[in-house]
Amino acid sequence: MSQVRELDKAELLAVLDWYRAAGVDLAVGEDPVDRFAKPAAPQPAQQARQAATPNAPAPIPATAAITGDPSEARRLAATAQSLDELRTILEAYNGCSLKFRATQLVFADGNPEAKIVLIGEAPGAEEDRQGKPFVGRSGQLLDRMLGAIGLDRTKVFIVNTVPWRPPGNRTPTPEEMELCLPFLNRQVELVAPRLVMTLGGPAMQTVFKTTSGIIKMRGRWQDVSIGTHEVPALPTLHPAYLLRNPAAKQQAWADLLSLKMKMDSLGLS
């Protein structure tokens, strides 16, 4: 009969990293629970407590989907007269269920007076911990990409289409994107950039209002409307994609050079 080998420290850490990447970042108990088992009948004391508070609101289950009204999101976003006001509104907004699975709001980073806005997809695990977009490995690569054309975070403003981390770093659903879009639009309206660059497919599809893939669209400038703000925009590959596919860095470099040429033509260098 074979014996079960105990995991060493490095193996245990690798398991924890795997769980964290999958979105499991909270321990709720030491003993396993069968979520599919038939619930036990309430005890008399529990029934008495329930009867004593008939109008008490039921607790929200951990798996409940909390979805808001897109029109309410648009109304709230439109009331913000500054980025600080918009952040406060988003921190109080409970219409998107992503908020209840994330550690904190990831609002933006960089210079709010910048003339260039970068738009990514959604926060990852490291962004969720620090509360800033693009601070993990992909953020480090993004910083090097910007530096190659004379930019840094003091010269750009960085946002995401969704300001809360989706569990397991999954792609945001269309419903989640719709609820968060008014806040993204208002961010861009308040900054009023001269140029926009989108990073990755979901951000490109949101900003360019298309279902085309990023490989087909990247490197092609188009005038887009983000809320009421019209601006030339350039889609490029997401830094996380470049980490997985280093050969694609040549395409991203061509896009960066195109951004640099556009900056020069507008006197933004």
Side-chain angles (χ1 to χ4, degrees):
M1 182 176 179
S2 62
Q3 294 182 343
V4 178
R5 182 179 65 86
E6 292 186 0
L7 299 178
D8 60 28
K9 181 179 179 180
E11 290 171 325
L12 288 171
L13 290 174
V15 171
L16 289 175
D17 284 340
W18 184 87
Y19 276 123
R20 186 177 65 181
V24 181
D25 51 15
L26 178 65
V28 295
E30 296 182 357
D31 299 322
V33 178
D34 185 355
R35 303 294 182 184
F36 296 95
K38 184 177 180 180
Q43 298 299 316
Q46 181 181 358
Q47 291 177 325
R49 287 194 300 269
Q50 291 175 346
T53 56
N55 297 321
I60 298 173
T63 56
I66 303 174
T67 55
D69 181 356
S71 63
E72 175 68 5
R74 289 191 291 270
R75 185 192 69 79
L76 289 171
T79 64
Q81 299 303 308
S82 69
L83 290 172
D84 287 340
E85 287 184 15
L86 185 62
R87 178 193 285 271
T88 300
I89 290 170
L90 263 174
E91 288 174 340
Y93 179 65
N94 292 331
C96 181
S97 61
L98 288 178
K99 175 180 180 178
F100 300 92
R101 304 295 181 265
T103 301
Q104 60 183 314
L105 174 73
V106 180
F107 184 72
D109 193 24
N111 183 356
E113 297 182 358
K115 300 304 179 184
I116 301 171
V117 165
L118 307 183
I119 302 176
E121 176 189 342
E126 192 61 34
E127 289 76 15
D128 186 45
R129 279 189 289 273
Q130 296 192 33
K132 292 183 179 181
F134 288 94
V135 292
R137 290 183 62 220
S138 61
Q140 295 168 11
L141 177 56
L142 177 61
D143 287 343
R144 295 196 296 272
M145 293 166 63
L146 293 174
I149 57 171
L151 294 176
D152 57 34
R153 295 191 183 225
T154 68
K155 299 176 182 176
V156 299
F157 191 67
I158 307 174
V159 299
N160 280 316
T161 56
V162 169
W164 295 286
R165 181 199 180 200
N169 292 348
R170 63 166 172 78
T171 300
T173 66
E175 293 77 16
E176 291 163 348
M177 298 282 282
E178 184 180 14
L179 288 167
C180 295
L181 182 58
F183 303 106
L184 169 67
N185 288 344
R186 191 59 183 148
Q187 276 181 309
V188 175
E189 289 171 349
L190 291 168
V191 177
R194 300 280 301 280
L195 298 173
V196 163
M197 173 177 272
T198 61
L199 305 168
M204 178 273 297
Q205 291 172 340
T206 299
V207 170
F208 286 78
K209 301 178 178 65
T210 181
T211 58
S212 296
I214 183 61
I215 300 301
K216 177 182 177 181
M217 295 287 291
R218 57 141 294 270
R220 297 165 52 186
W221 284 98
Q222 291 187 32
D223 291 334
V224 299
S225 296
I226 304 177
T228 60
H229 186 69
E230 296 186 2
V231 60
L234 177 70
T236 192
L237 304 170
H238 196 285
Y241 177 83
L242 301 178
L243 290 172
R244 298 191 301 268
N245 301 274
K249 290 181 179 180
Q250 182 177 2
Q251 295 172 301
W253 176 238
D255 297 340
L256 288 171
L257 292 177
S258 180
L259 175 61
K260 175 66 169 143
M261 291 179 61
K262 196 77 166 179
M263 290 165 49
D264 292 342
S265 68
L266 296 175
L268 301 180
S269 300

